Amino acid sequence: MLLLRIADVGLFAFHTLLVLFNCVGWIWPRTRRLHLATLGATAASWFLLGIWFGPGYCLCTDLHWRIRAALGENIQERTYIQYLVSRITGWTPNAELASNATAAVFVVVAILSLWLNLRDLRRARGLKRAIH
């Protein structure tokens, strides 16, 4: 039981930090490549694994829900964002609102991240040409 509790807390911390990083990791130039990689991993889970497990499948959520079930918790939420909002505020948004908001934020952040990473790459190439 102790290991399940540790895994529950650990996955909550890891998944929450991943969600936050996916939202804001594009801001800092030093984290932009890693941010693009975590967005890619998130998209792969949602869309590639989603082929077999259903659209929007999240490996982290699945693991966390399995641990919570093993702990005997009654899982009411369909999405991690519902769970996160509920745990922080006490209000549980409906699944459709949570999913739509998550998708909208993801699209905006992915566009920002791609644009900034491409801009950074172009600038770096420009500097290399100027040096040589």
Side-chain angles (χ1 to χ4, degrees), residues 51-123:
I51 292 169
W52 294 279
F53 299 105
Y57 172 80
C58 178
L59 179 62
C60 290
T61 302
D62 187 25
L63 292 172
H64 200 182
W65 272 208
R66 288 172 190 251
I67 289 167
R68 289 178 63 209
L71 287 167
E73 292 184 23
N74 185 12
I75 301 167
Q76 300 292 320
E77 305 86 6
R78 279 192 16 219
T79 74
Y80 188 76
I81 299 302
Q82 279 182 296
Y83 173 66
L84 189 58
V85 169
S86 176
R87 188 152 174 199
I88 292 170
T89 69
W91 169 68
T92 305
N94 71 45
E96 186 176 354
L97 174 62
S99 294
N100 288 341
T102 300
V105 169
F106 185 84
V107 167
V108 169
V109 166
I111 291 168
L112 278 167
S113 188
L114 282 168
W115 179 69
L116 288 168
N117 273 284
L118 287 172
R119 187 193 70 182
D120 293 348
L121 183 63
R122 284 189 196 117
R123 284 183 178 172

